[in-house]
Amino acid sequence: MSASRRSGTTDELGPGEPERDGADLLAALLDGMDAALCAFDAHGVVTHWNREAERILGWSAAEAVGRRGFAGWAVRTADAAEVEARLMSAMEAPGRQVHEFALLTKEGGRVLVRTQSAAVRGPGGKPAGVYCAFSEVHAQIDLERSIALSEALFEDASWGVVVVDADLRPAVVNAHAARALGIGRTAVLGRPLGDLLSRGVEELESALTHVLAEGAPPAPAEMWVSVRTAEGETRRCWRSGFLRLSSPLAEEPVPLGVGWLFQDVTEAKQSEQEAALLRFRSNQLHRAARAAAECEDPGEAATVHLDFALAGFADHALIDRVAGGSVADGEGPVRLVRAAETPSGAPGPSVLAGKAGLPVRYREGHPALQCVERAGPVRASAGAADPEKAREWALARQWPADAVHALCAVLRSRGRTLGVVTFLRGAGRSQFERADAVYAEDVAVRIAAALDLADLVKPTTDM
């Protein structure tokens, strides 16, 4: 245990006296400190020596207390005068003084320590001695590095850093994370994550709860979230790492929260997805071309291209031919005849239709008619309409009832318009984008070539 040189008066007090209780409390406090501590009286005699000082240097309190200075036991004799002068100078200096010097262990080794010393004032305010707290330099440097790292993460880091408390609310947020969340650093603190994110919050909270209970996952996780901003919702992909934060002062690990580090990888993920989609669609076009080359009937080859194009692209598709076979640019209004379509119920291959040659009852302004007039792709959507209105929207355009998004591509061959191919998506898919229109045009070129060949080989074909 730590020792302090007590006066004879203190030794004579009984164990129940307040003065003795105060001395015991002081000894307990000194022993519980993480830093090594010693104290000197005005003459340089050691009066206090705690357990951490014993751990670092090996000298027990009984061996240290009562010695004058460090000379001959804790410091080399050649260095003793300088060390003592630097320590005792704190009696006359204001505030604390910081020094570094080498001390000797009981085994004769040397330990480089960093000290903080300050004067101890007596009842009249005069210096009565000096206390000195010291720690090994490498331990102090480790502490300073940890503090510096924390400050750098929360100020200058190029990725988001958020400390989330045990209630899953942000407790500390760095500048990068605040910008990513579209809100000020102080405005984020204490707010539920659901106030900051509109989508992906359940997945994030589940990950944070898991980390609190089980610890950090072995690898980063990529999460798609939608951030609420003044301009509206923005969908982002964050590559996130998680660390469970536990108190270093508790005997058992007590979770203080979770350290959440994330980096925005939206552009990279979108590029990866676009590249993968492009490869898949190129493979589909290649496979469709090989399969269509084995078809004796060019009309069947057209439906083969349609079936291959549907995979991962649309839920339904149909082909409308221009009545009479084709129309040159600039000719009057056209009528369209349904030539082929995919089943509207269970999935299956496209089936030929329109053998009777009756025109489809498309109203003026129908996307398919606009596509013919423009000789270019046309996109249409029911938007965010309720299911019943979306159903009415689809049926009014002669499409399956579950269609919500449509993309029409013109069928062109040898400078003439042969018809229109229409791709339809249900409510579970997103709207068609510009890249989708490019793919639809690639498919339309192949379908048009097959239909044109069918007209040349069999002019009276039902297609």
Side-chain angles (χ1 to χ4, degrees), residues 373-398:
E373 293 173 3
R374 300 177 185 177
V378 173
R379 288 176 286 170
S381 176
D386 61 73
E388 186 58 34
K389 290 185 178 180
R391 176 184 174 86
E392 294 176 0
W393 178 85
L395 294 178
R397 287 157 179 78
Q398 307 299 313

Side-chain angles (χ1 to χ4, degrees), residues 282-319:
S282 298
N283 289 335
Q284 286 298 98
L285 291 174
H286 176 72
R287 294 173 59 199
R290 290 176 60 88
E294 302 301 322
C295 297
E296 295 184 5
D297 181 5
E300 182 184 354
T303 61
V304 167
H305 283 290
L306 192 66
D307 291 335
F308 273 92
L310 277 180
F313 183 67
D315 298 315
H316 303 291
L318 49 92
I319 297 175

